[in-house]
mmCIF file of all heavy atoms in Angstrom:
data_model
loop_
_atom_site.group_PDB
_atom_site.id
_atom_site.type_symbol
_atom_site.label_atom_id
_atom_site.label_comp_id
_atom_site.label_asym_id
_atom_site.label_seq_id
_atom_site.Cartn_x
_atom_site.Cartn_y
_atom_site.Cartn_z
ATOM 1 N N ARG A 1 -6.505 -9.768 0.765
ATOM 2 C CA ARG A 1 -5.131 -10.008 1.199
ATOM 3 C C ARG A 1 -4.406 -8.713 1.569
ATOM 4 O O ARG A 1 -3.582 -8.718 2.481
ATOM 5 C CB ARG A 1 -4.331 -10.726 0.110
ATOM 6 C CG ARG A 1 -4.876 -12.099 -0.243
ATOM 7 C CD ARG A 1 -3.916 -12.843 -1.168
ATOM 8 N NE ARG A 1 -3.732 -12.148 -2.440
ATOM 9 C CZ ARG A 1 -2.564 -11.683 -2.881
ATOM 10 N NH1 ARG A 1 -1.470 -11.840 -2.151
ATOM 11 N NH2 ARG A 1 -2.486 -11.080 -4.061
ATOM 12 N N PHE A 2 -4.700 -7.632 0.862
ATOM 13 C CA PHE A 2 -4.035 -6.354 1.092
ATOM 14 C C PHE A 2 -4.992 -5.386 1.772
ATOM 15 O O PHE A 2 -6.205 -5.419 1.533
ATOM 16 C CB PHE A 2 -3.564 -5.729 -0.221
ATOM 17 C CG PHE A 2 -2.427 -6.437 -0.902
ATOM 18 C CD1 PHE A 2 -1.978 -7.681 -0.479
ATOM 19 C CD2 PHE A 2 -1.803 -5.849 -1.990
ATOM 20 C CE1 PHE A 2 -0.937 -8.332 -1.106
ATOM 21 C CE2 PHE A 2 -0.759 -6.483 -2.632
ATOM 22 C CZ PHE A 2 -0.319 -7.724 -2.197
ATOM 23 N N THR A 3 -4.439 -4.489 2.578
ATOM 24 C CA THR A 3 -5.217 -3.459 3.248
ATOM 25 C C THR A 3 -4.487 -2.129 3.153
ATOM 26 O O THR A 3 -3.311 -2.039 3.509
ATOM 27 C CB THR A 3 -5.463 -3.800 4.725
ATOM 28 O OG1 THR A 3 -6.152 -5.049 4.827
ATOM 29 C CG2 THR A 3 -6.318 -2.720 5.381
ATOM 30 N N ILE A 4 -5.179 -1.100 2.678
ATOM 31 C CA ILE A 4 -4.610 0.237 2.624
ATOM 32 C C ILE A 4 -5.154 1.048 3.793
ATOM 33 O O ILE A 4 -6.331 0.940 4.142
ATOM 34 C CB ILE A 4 -4.913 0.927 1.278
ATOM 35 C CG1 ILE A 4 -4.171 2.260 1.171
ATOM 36 C CG2 ILE A 4 -6.403 1.113 1.065
ATOM 37 C CD1 ILE A 4 -4.251 2.898 -0.214
ATOM 38 N N SER A 5 -4.296 1.852 4.403
ATOM 39 C CA SER A 5 -4.698 2.696 5.517
ATOM 40 C C SER A 5 -3.850 3.958 5.510
ATOM 41 O O SER A 5 -2.846 4.040 4.799
ATOM 42 C CB SER A 5 -4.562 1.958 6.853
ATOM 43 O OG SER A 5 -3.214 1.600 7.096
ATOM 44 N N ARG A 6 -4.248 4.941 6.304
ATOM 45 C CA ARG A 6 -3.478 6.180 6.375
ATOM 46 C C ARG A 6 -3.508 6.754 7.781
ATOM 47 O O ARG A 6 -4.501 6.624 8.506
ATOM 48 C CB ARG A 6 -3.976 7.204 5.351
ATOM 49 C CG ARG A 6 -5.348 7.782 5.625
ATOM 50 C CD ARG A 6 -5.889 8.538 4.417
ATOM 51 N NE ARG A 6 -5.009 9.613 3.989
ATOM 52 C CZ ARG A 6 -5.174 10.323 2.876
ATOM 53 N NH1 ARG A 6 -6.186 10.045 2.054
ATOM 54 N NH2 ARG A 6 -4.323 11.294 2.563
ATOM 55 N N ASP A 7 -2.419 7.391 8.145
ATOM 56 C CA ASP A 7 -2.282 8.096 9.405
ATOM 57 C C ASP A 7 -2.245 9.571 9.064
ATOM 58 O O ASP A 7 -1.232 10.078 8.579
ATOM 59 C CB ASP A 7 -1.016 7.652 10.140
ATOM 60 C CG ASP A 7 -0.904 8.248 11.527
ATOM 61 O OD1 ASP A 7 -1.383 9.370 11.748
ATOM 62 O OD2 ASP A 7 -0.328 7.581 12.404
ATOM 63 N N MET A 8 -3.344 10.277 9.295
ATOM 64 C CA MET A 8 -3.451 11.678 8.910
ATOM 65 C C MET A 8 -2.429 12.549 9.637
ATOM 66 O O MET A 8 -1.855 13.457 9.050
ATOM 67 C CB MET A 8 -4.862 12.195 9.192
ATOM 68 C CG MET A 8 -5.943 11.577 8.330
ATOM 69 S SD MET A 8 -5.772 12.078 6.593
ATOM 70 C CE MET A 8 -7.339 11.473 5.942
ATOM 71 N N ALA A 9 -2.211 12.280 10.917
ATOM 72 C CA ALA A 9 -1.291 13.089 11.702
ATOM 73 C C ALA A 9 0.141 12.977 11.191
ATOM 74 O O ALA A 9 0.905 13.941 11.259
ATOM 75 C CB ALA A 9 -1.363 12.692 13.174
ATOM 76 N N LYS A 10 0.517 11.804 10.677
ATOM 77 C CA LYS A 10 1.875 11.577 10.195
ATOM 78 C C LYS A 10 2.020 11.748 8.693
ATOM 79 O O LYS A 10 3.132 11.615 8.171
ATOM 80 C CB LYS A 10 2.345 10.181 10.594
ATOM 81 C CG LYS A 10 2.443 9.961 12.094
ATOM 82 C CD LYS A 10 2.945 8.568 12.404
ATOM 83 C CE LYS A 10 3.085 8.353 13.900
ATOM 84 N NZ LYS A 10 3.570 6.982 14.208
ATOM 85 N N ASN A 11 0.923 12.029 8.001
ATOM 86 C CA ASN A 11 0.941 12.132 6.539
ATOM 87 C C ASN A 11 1.586 10.896 5.911
ATOM 88 O O ASN A 11 2.437 10.995 5.018
ATOM 89 C CB ASN A 11 1.667 13.395 6.086
ATOM 90 C CG ASN A 11 0.896 14.656 6.398
ATOM 91 O OD1 ASN A 11 -0.332 14.629 6.547
ATOM 92 N ND2 ASN A 11 1.600 15.770 6.491
ATOM 93 N N THR A 12 1.168 9.747 6.378
ATOM 94 C CA THR A 12 1.736 8.489 5.931
ATOM 95 C C THR A 12 0.624 7.529 5.516
ATOM 96 O O THR A 12 -0.397 7.426 6.203
ATOM 97 C CB THR A 12 2.592 7.843 7.027
ATOM 98 O OG1 THR A 12 3.641 8.749 7.402
ATOM 99 C CG2 THR A 12 3.213 6.543 6.543
ATOM 100 N N VAL A 13 0.839 6.842 4.402
ATOM 101 C CA VAL A 13 -0.090 5.844 3.891
ATOM 102 C C VAL A 13 0.596 4.487 3.931
ATOM 103 O O VAL A 13 1.792 4.384 3.630
ATOM 104 C CB VAL A 13 -0.543 6.180 2.462
ATOM 105 C CG1 VAL A 13 -1.553 5.157 1.961
ATOM 106 C CG2 VAL A 13 -1.150 7.570 2.413
ATOM 107 N N TYR A 14 -0.155 3.460 4.279
ATOM 108 C CA TYR A 14 0.395 2.123 4.410
ATOM 109 C C TYR A 14 -0.313 1.156 3.478
ATOM 110 O O TYR A 14 -1.484 1.327 3.144
ATOM 111 C CB TYR A 14 0.255 1.610 5.848
ATOM 112 C CG TYR A 14 0.878 2.501 6.885
ATOM 113 C CD1 TYR A 14 0.098 3.405 7.597
ATOM 114 C CD2 TYR A 14 2.240 2.444 7.148
ATOM 115 C CE1 TYR A 14 0.666 4.230 8.550
ATOM 116 C CE2 TYR A 14 2.817 3.264 8.096
ATOM 117 C CZ TYR A 14 2.024 4.149 8.798
ATOM 118 O OH TYR A 14 2.588 4.964 9.747
ATOM 119 N N LEU A 15 0.407 0.129 3.086
ATOM 120 C CA LEU A 15 -0.171 -0.996 2.378
ATOM 121 C C LEU A 15 0.253 -2.258 3.113
ATOM 122 O O LEU A 15 1.426 -2.641 3.068
ATOM 123 C CB LEU A 15 0.282 -1.044 0.917
ATOM 124 C CG LEU A 15 -0.369 -2.142 0.072
ATOM 125 C CD1 LEU A 15 -1.862 -1.859 -0.107
ATOM 126 C CD2 LEU A 15 0.314 -2.273 -1.283
ATOM 127 N N HIS A 16 -0.698 -2.871 3.809
ATOM 128 C CA HIS A 16 -0.445 -4.119 4.520
ATOM 129 C C HIS A 16 -0.727 -5.272 3.574
ATOM 130 O O HIS A 16 -1.844 -5.421 3.083
ATOM 131 C CB HIS A 16 -1.331 -4.218 5.755
ATOM 132 C CG HIS A 16 -1.129 -3.109 6.748
ATOM 133 N ND1 HIS A 16 -0.336 -3.242 7.860
ATOM 134 C CD2 HIS A 16 -1.623 -1.849 6.781
ATOM 135 C CE1 HIS A 16 -0.346 -2.120 8.544
ATOM 136 N NE2 HIS A 16 -1.113 -1.253 7.905
ATOM 137 N N MET A 17 0.275 -6.097 3.334
ATOM 138 C CA MET A 17 0.179 -7.188 2.385
ATOM 139 C C MET A 17 0.312 -8.506 3.124
ATOM 140 O O MET A 17 1.332 -8.761 3.763
ATOM 141 C CB MET A 17 1.249 -7.065 1.304
ATOM 142 C CG MET A 17 1.216 -5.732 0.566
ATOM 143 S SD MET A 17 2.446 -5.631 -0.767
ATOM 144 C CE MET A 17 3.952 -5.647 0.212
ATOM 145 N N ASN A 18 -0.713 -9.323 3.036
ATOM 146 C CA ASN A 18 -0.728 -10.632 3.676
ATOM 147 C C ASN A 18 -0.803 -11.730 2.619
ATOM 148 O O ASN A 18 -1.210 -11.496 1.484
ATOM 149 C CB ASN A 18 -1.914 -10.755 4.628
ATOM 150 C CG ASN A 18 -1.883 -9.761 5.759
ATOM 151 O OD1 ASN A 18 -0.826 -9.518 6.343
ATOM 152 N ND2 ASN A 18 -3.035 -9.185 6.084
ATOM 153 N N SER A 19 -0.418 -12.935 3.022
ATOM 154 C CA SER A 19 -0.483 -14.099 2.133
ATOM 155 C C SER A 19 0.140 -13.799 0.778
ATOM 156 O O SER A 19 -0.449 -14.056 -0.272
ATOM 157 C CB SER A 19 -1.937 -14.551 1.971
ATOM 158 O OG SER A 19 -2.514 -14.882 3.218
ATOM 159 N N LEU A 20 1.332 -13.285 0.795
ATOM 160 C CA LEU A 20 1.994 -12.864 -0.435
ATOM 161 C C LEU A 20 2.269 -14.044 -1.352
ATOM 162 O O LEU A 20 2.590 -15.146 -0.904
ATOM 163 C CB LEU A 20 3.295 -12.137 -0.113
ATOM 164 C CG LEU A 20 3.105 -10.693 0.364
ATOM 165 C CD1 LEU A 20 4.365 -10.188 1.034
ATOM 166 C CD2 LEU A 20 2.718 -9.795 -0.804
ATOM 167 N N LYS A 21 2.146 -13.785 -2.641
ATOM 168 C CA LYS A 21 2.366 -14.772 -3.684
ATOM 169 C C LYS A 21 3.500 -14.317 -4.594
ATOM 170 O O LYS A 21 3.768 -13.125 -4.701
ATOM 171 C CB LYS A 21 1.098 -14.963 -4.516
ATOM 172 C CG LYS A 21 -0.150 -15.297 -3.718
ATOM 173 C CD LYS A 21 -1.373 -15.323 -4.627
ATOM 174 C CE LYS A 21 -2.628 -15.627 -3.852
ATOM 175 N NZ LYS A 21 -3.828 -15.632 -4.729
ATOM 176 N N PRO A 22 4.165 -15.251 -5.273
ATOM 177 C CA PRO A 22 5.194 -14.836 -6.234
ATOM 178 C C PRO A 22 4.677 -13.855 -7.280
ATOM 179 O O PRO A 22 5.437 -12.993 -7.732
ATOM 180 C CB PRO A 22 5.621 -16.166 -6.874
ATOM 181 C CG PRO A 22 5.391 -17.176 -5.805
ATOM 182 C CD PRO A 22 4.134 -16.718 -5.104
ATOM 183 N N GLU A 23 3.406 -13.939 -7.639
ATOM 184 C CA GLU A 23 2.822 -13.024 -8.616
ATOM 185 C C GLU A 23 2.708 -11.596 -8.097
ATOM 186 O O GLU A 23 2.453 -10.684 -8.881
ATOM 187 C CB GLU A 23 1.443 -13.525 -9.051
ATOM 188 C CG GLU A 23 1.486 -14.832 -9.818
ATOM 189 C CD GLU A 23 0.126 -15.311 -10.267
ATOM 190 O OE1 GLU A 23 -0.888 -14.743 -9.799
ATOM 191 O OE2 GLU A 23 0.061 -16.244 -11.092
ATOM 192 N N ASP A 24 2.886 -11.402 -6.790
ATOM 193 C CA ASP A 24 2.879 -10.060 -6.225
ATOM 194 C C ASP A 24 4.216 -9.346 -6.413
ATOM 195 O O ASP A 24 4.321 -8.161 -6.087
ATOM 196 C CB ASP A 24 2.545 -10.106 -4.736
ATOM 197 C CG ASP A 24 1.138 -10.604 -4.465
ATOM 198 O OD1 ASP A 24 0.214 -10.194 -5.193
ATOM 199 O OD2 ASP A 24 0.970 -11.396 -3.518
ATOM 200 N N THR A 25 5.223 -10.041 -6.900
ATOM 201 C CA THR A 25 6.532 -9.441 -7.109
ATOM 202 C C THR A 25 6.441 -8.289 -8.100
ATOM 203 O O THR A 25 5.962 -8.453 -9.220
ATOM 204 C CB THR A 25 7.530 -10.491 -7.609
ATOM 205 O OG1 THR A 25 7.719 -11.488 -6.602
ATOM 206 C CG2 THR A 25 8.871 -9.852 -7.931
ATOM 207 N N ALA A 26 6.898 -7.113 -7.678
ATOM 208 C CA ALA A 26 6.811 -5.915 -8.511
ATOM 209 C C ALA A 26 7.451 -4.755 -7.774
ATOM 210 O O ALA A 26 7.771 -4.844 -6.583
ATOM 211 C CB ALA A 26 5.353 -5.579 -8.837
ATOM 212 N N VAL A 27 7.633 -3.662 -8.487
ATOM 213 C CA VAL A 27 7.945 -2.391 -7.858
ATOM 214 C C VAL A 27 6.628 -1.731 -7.493
ATOM 215 O O VAL A 27 5.753 -1.576 -8.344
ATOM 216 C CB VAL A 27 8.772 -1.478 -8.779
ATOM 217 C CG1 VAL A 27 9.007 -0.125 -8.117
ATOM 218 C CG2 VAL A 27 10.103 -2.129 -9.122
ATOM 219 N N TYR A 28 6.480 -1.351 -6.245
ATOM 220 C CA TYR A 28 5.252 -0.750 -5.756
ATOM 221 C C TYR A 28 5.429 0.752 -5.638
ATOM 222 O O TYR A 28 6.399 1.237 -5.049
ATOM 223 C CB TYR A 28 4.867 -1.352 -4.402
ATOM 224 C CG TYR A 28 4.259 -2.727 -4.524
ATOM 225 C CD1 TYR A 28 5.037 -3.818 -4.866
ATOM 226 C CD2 TYR A 28 2.895 -2.926 -4.321
ATOM 227 C CE1 TYR A 28 4.483 -5.076 -5.009
ATOM 228 C CE2 TYR A 28 2.331 -4.183 -4.450
ATOM 229 C CZ TYR A 28 3.123 -5.254 -4.796
ATOM 230 O OH TYR A 28 2.563 -6.502 -4.928
ATOM 231 N N TYR A 29 4.469 1.485 -6.202
ATOM 232 C CA TYR A 29 4.517 2.941 -6.238
ATOM 233 C C TYR A 29 3.375 3.546 -5.444
ATOM 234 O O TYR A 29 2.237 3.082 -5.519
ATOM 235 C CB TYR A 29 4.425 3.449 -7.679
ATOM 236 C CG TYR A 29 5.568 3.042 -8.566
ATOM 237 C CD1 TYR A 29 5.493 1.892 -9.343
ATOM 238 C CD2 TYR A 29 6.723 3.816 -8.633
ATOM 239 C CE1 TYR A 29 6.539 1.515 -10.160
ATOM 240 C CE2 TYR A 29 7.769 3.449 -9.448
ATOM 241 C CZ TYR A 29 7.673 2.299 -10.213
ATOM 242 O OH TYR A 29 8.709 1.937 -11.027
ATOM 243 N N CYS A 30 3.674 4.594 -4.734
ATOM 244 C CA CYS A 30 2.677 5.406 -4.055
ATOM 245 C C CYS A 30 2.301 6.578 -4.959
ATOM 246 O O CYS A 30 3.169 7.160 -5.615
ATOM 247 C CB CYS A 30 3.241 5.914 -2.722
ATOM 248 S SG CYS A 30 2.145 6.985 -1.779
ATOM 249 N N ALA A 31 1.021 6.925 -5.004
ATOM 250 C CA ALA A 31 0.544 8.019 -5.833
ATOM 251 C C ALA A 31 -0.481 8.842 -5.074
ATOM 252 O O ALA A 31 -1.180 8.327 -4.195
ATOM 253 C CB ALA A 31 -0.073 7.481 -7.129
ATOM 254 N N ALA A 32 -0.585 10.131 -5.429
ATOM 255 C CA ALA A 32 -1.505 11.046 -4.767
ATOM 256 C C ALA A 32 -2.330 11.797 -5.794
ATOM 257 O O ALA A 32 -1.822 12.170 -6.852
ATOM 258 C CB ALA A 32 -0.739 12.034 -3.883
ATOM 259 N N ARG A 33 -3.590 12.022 -5.469
ATOM 260 C CA ARG A 33 -4.512 12.773 -6.311
ATOM 261 C C ARG A 33 -5.044 13.951 -5.522
ATOM 262 O O ARG A 33 -5.556 13.766 -4.412
ATOM 263 C CB ARG A 33 -5.648 11.873 -6.786
ATOM 264 C CG ARG A 33 -6.599 12.505 -7.788
ATOM 265 C CD ARG A 33 -7.551 11.458 -8.356
ATOM 266 N NE ARG A 33 -8.379 11.991 -9.416
ATOM 267 C CZ ARG A 33 -9.609 12.457 -9.239
ATOM 268 N NH1 ARG A 33 -10.159 12.457 -8.020
ATOM 269 N NH2 ARG A 33 -10.288 12.925 -10.269
ATOM 270 N N ARG A 34 -4.942 15.145 -6.068
ATOM 271 C CA ARG A 34 -5.340 16.348 -5.334
ATOM 272 C C ARG A 34 -6.813 16.353 -4.972
ATOM 273 O O ARG A 34 -7.174 16.797 -3.876
ATOM 274 C CB ARG A 34 -5.005 17.603 -6.137
ATOM 275 C CG ARG A 34 -3.515 17.892 -6.247
ATOM 276 C CD ARG A 34 -3.277 19.274 -6.820
ATOM 277 N NE ARG A 34 -3.772 19.385 -8.191
ATOM 278 C CZ ARG A 34 -3.060 19.142 -9.267
ATOM 279 N NH1 ARG A 34 -1.783 18.769 -9.143
ATOM 280 N NH2 ARG A 34 -3.587 19.271 -10.469
#
């Protein structure tokens, strides 16, 4: 249902969420690992 992707040139990461359910309700956090 979800797809993660990144645009290296823009230094941007995306999370595409499809077929969302009420159980997906939450605060979503982005994190980075060196």
Side-chain angles (χ1 to χ4, degrees):
R1 298 189 298 119
F2 291 10
T3 301
I4 187 171
S5 62
R6 69 193 303 172
D7 186 329
M8 293 292 191
K10 297 181 178 180
N11 290 336
T12 302
V13 182
Y14 304 98
L15 185 67
H16 300 262
M17 304 183 293
N18 298 318
S19 301
L20 283 164
K21 306 174 181 179
E23 294 181 349
D24 295 318
T25 296
V27 177
Y28 283 72
Y29 296 93
C30 178
R33 186 171 186 264
R34 290 191 296 269

